[in-house]
Amino acid sequence: MPFLTGAAARSSLPRCNAAVQSLAARLYHDESFGFRKRREYVFPDYTKEQLENRAQNASLLRYVDSMRTHGHRAARIDPLDLIHREEVAALNPRRYGLTDDLKRYNVNGILWTKPVSSAAAGQDWWTLEEITRHLRSVYVSRIAYEYMHSPSKTERLWFSHLLESESLPSTEEAPITIIDYEAKRRIHELLARSEVLDNFLQLKFPNLKRYGLEGGESMLPALDSLFSSASHGGIQHVILGMPHRGRLNLLTDLLHLPPVALFSKIKGSSELPDLVGLSAAQGDVLSHLVASPKLDYGAPNPVKVSLLPNPSHLEAVNPVALGKTRAKQYALLKTSPADCELGDRVMCVQIHGDASFTGQGVVMEGLGLSNLPHFTSGGTVHLVVDNNIGYTTPASGARSSLYCSDIGKMINTPVLHVNGDYPEDVVRAMDIAFRYRKYFRKDIIVDLLVYRRW
């Protein structure tokens, strides 16, 4: 190609400059500083034998997928049974022509009892009665799952495999949390401490606006389990944003705020240190207090949990939590291995109320940015303390959707609904939520259904 000279060369300069600017703009949005492309996980596809079996047992496949899709509509997740439940026809095997409970079916490739795409799995024969019992124990229990709306086959397979199978997606993974004696003792300790604190404050400070946790005490075992999983998973720092309700319980029972300091603040003293120039300072209101302790869960390193200051405007702390999480992770990238990615060392946790999670636009804005390369923090665990009331408005008069978590479906976020009256199931749900976030580096919602006692 001949070189351009003279007037021809000068006339081509604007076009070259425009092309360079266009390329720079694309690189800024694609691979500039701040860009971190998450690892892509792809499950093996079905084997030829599994595909043939799915075609031969199409009616059974439809039944199993209906249980995965609609099981949450019949699950026992509401402690007060306020959610209107109708008979779910899609969960009846007779609807799919499956009438003989004793007939045996090959479930390989339909019901995940063996590793995905395992050639050695072979045929696995179950009766219809056994299939129904197993599916109901998983999908129509005290934990309900919504993940079939995801367009990602990998995510759907990951959930189905994890929930239904005795084998985990990865042989390196530990089993889903087993609630042993020590775990039960820890759960009871947190529940008891929370109830004792609320009872004491009600007795000694009856006129105090304290936003108690009565009825929702299982929030504490949920967070304790999440922090423990994070610590053993290599997380060094958890950034926590939350509203008013349950804040004092979390601070004193889990985040090591001395009760003496709390009582001093209630009586009118300042939480600020008595330094020069601060002697007359009053500090913030009681429901905005903060703490940043290091919690030791027996992992190689303790995990630091930073509870952010809470503005009175609900959900306004969410973008602050996301931004601080991303900034902290970038600071740690400088001293981390080359393969360290966003979300490996710092995790964002957001606690919401059911009314504000549905009603505040900033929630939608945060979700909309959560998977973009220049804004993501590596996945947020959203814990919705769903007491079915927003101040004085019941949920039935506050939103048009069935669940407060339905807003998460705008970005195809999986949702775990769990009955707060069963803290052991709450702990299991949080374990699954952390696994998903660690595996896919995306947001996940845990809808903790509780109630407000007073």
Side-chain angles (χ1 to χ4, degrees), residues 127-140:
T127 65
L128 177 60
E129 183 180 10
E130 291 172 336
I131 294 171
T132 299
R133 186 187 310 118
H134 180 63
L135 289 174
R136 284 192 167 271
S137 68
V138 173
Y139 296 108
V140 191

Side-chain angles (χ1 to χ4, degrees), residues 82-151:
L82 296 177
I83 300 178
H84 180 60
R85 296 290 186 184
E86 298 178 349
E87 183 66 25
V88 184
L91 305 184
N92 187 349
R94 274 57 179 172
R95 189 178 183 87
Y96 307 95
L98 307 173
T99 58
D100 187 357
D101 289 336
L102 299 181
K103 183 177 179 179
R104 302 179 69 84
Y105 295 88
N106 179 15
V107 298
N108 184 28
I110 299 176
L111 185 66
W112 293 116
T113 60
K114 298 289 175 61
V116 173
S117 193
S118 174
Q123 296 183 351
D124 193 9
W125 295 87
W126 287 34
T127 65
L128 177 60
E129 183 180 10
E130 291 172 336
I131 294 171
T132 299
R133 186 187 310 118
H134 180 63
L135 289 174
R136 284 192 167 271
S137 68
V138 173
Y139 296 108
V140 191
S141 62
R142 293 186 292 264
I143 305 178
Y145 306 93
E146 289 189 275
Y147 65 89
M148 290 296 285
H149 58 272
S150 173

Side-chain angles (χ1 to χ4, degrees), residues 40 76 130 136 169 225 371:
E40 294 293 337
R76 305 183 301 276
E130 291 172 336
R136 284 192 167 271
S225 170
N371 292 329

Side-chain angles (χ1 to χ4, degrees), residues 381-438:
V381 177
H382 300 269
L383 177 62
V384 183
V385 182
D386 186 353
N387 56 22
N388 283 296
I389 192 169
Y391 195 50
T392 58
T393 304
S396 58
R399 64 173 186 264
S400 299
S401 60
L402 176 60
Y403 301 117
C404 65
S405 56
D406 285 344
I407 186 175
K409 293 179 181 177
M410 63 175 278
I411 59 168
N412 303 306
T413 301
V415 181
L416 280 60
H417 308 276
V418 57
N419 191 326
D421 263 4
Y422 297 86
E424 295 178 14
D425 291 300
V426 173
V427 169
R428 292 189 183 94
M430 297 305 294
D431 181 36
I432 295 172
F434 178 76
R435 290 169 184 267
Y436 173 86
R437 184 261 177 198
K438 181 180 179 181

Side-chain angles (χ1 to χ4, degrees), residues 243-398:
H244 307 66
R245 189 158 303 280
R247 195 179 188 91
L248 302 184
N249 306 70
L250 176 63
L251 283 167
T252 56
D253 299 337
L254 199 55
L255 300 188
H256 300 170
L257 178 71
V260 173
L262 174 63
F263 301 149
S264 176
K265 175 65 178 176
I266 292 174
K267 292 180 179 180
S269 301
S270 173
E271 74 275 17
L272 300 175
D274 189 14
L275 300 175
V276 177
L278 295 178
S279 57
Q282 293 300 311
D284 208 341
V285 298
L286 188 66
S287 55
H288 295 181
L289 296 179
V290 300
S292 296
K294 289 187 176 181
L295 305 182
D296 188 358
Y297 288 97
N301 297 302
V303 58
K304 183 175 182 179
V305 179
S306 295
L307 178 61
L308 299 181
N310 177 46
S312 288
H313 199 293
L314 295 173
E315 308 293 345
V317 73
N318 297 356
V320 180
L322 290 171
K324 185 172 182 179
T325 302
R326 186 177 172 90
K328 283 282 185 181
Q329 179 69 78
Y330 266 101
L332 290 174
L333 284 176
K334 299 176 182 178
T335 58
S336 299
D339 60 346
C340 184
E341 298 182 358
L342 280 173
D344 284 351
R345 297 289 181 266
V346 188
M347 179 173 69
C348 180
V349 178
Q350 296 179 19
I351 306 176
H352 314 271
D354 56 307
S356 61
F357 193 64
T358 301
Q360 296 291 346
V362 68
V363 176
M364 184 200 70
E365 294 167 354
L367 292 173
L369 296 173
S370 62
N371 292 329
L372 299 181
H374 292 281
F375 297 94
T376 180
S377 63
T380 298
V381 177
H382 300 269
L383 177 62
V384 183
V385 182
D386 186 353
N387 56 22
N388 283 296
I389 192 169
Y391 195 50
T392 58
T393 304
S396 58

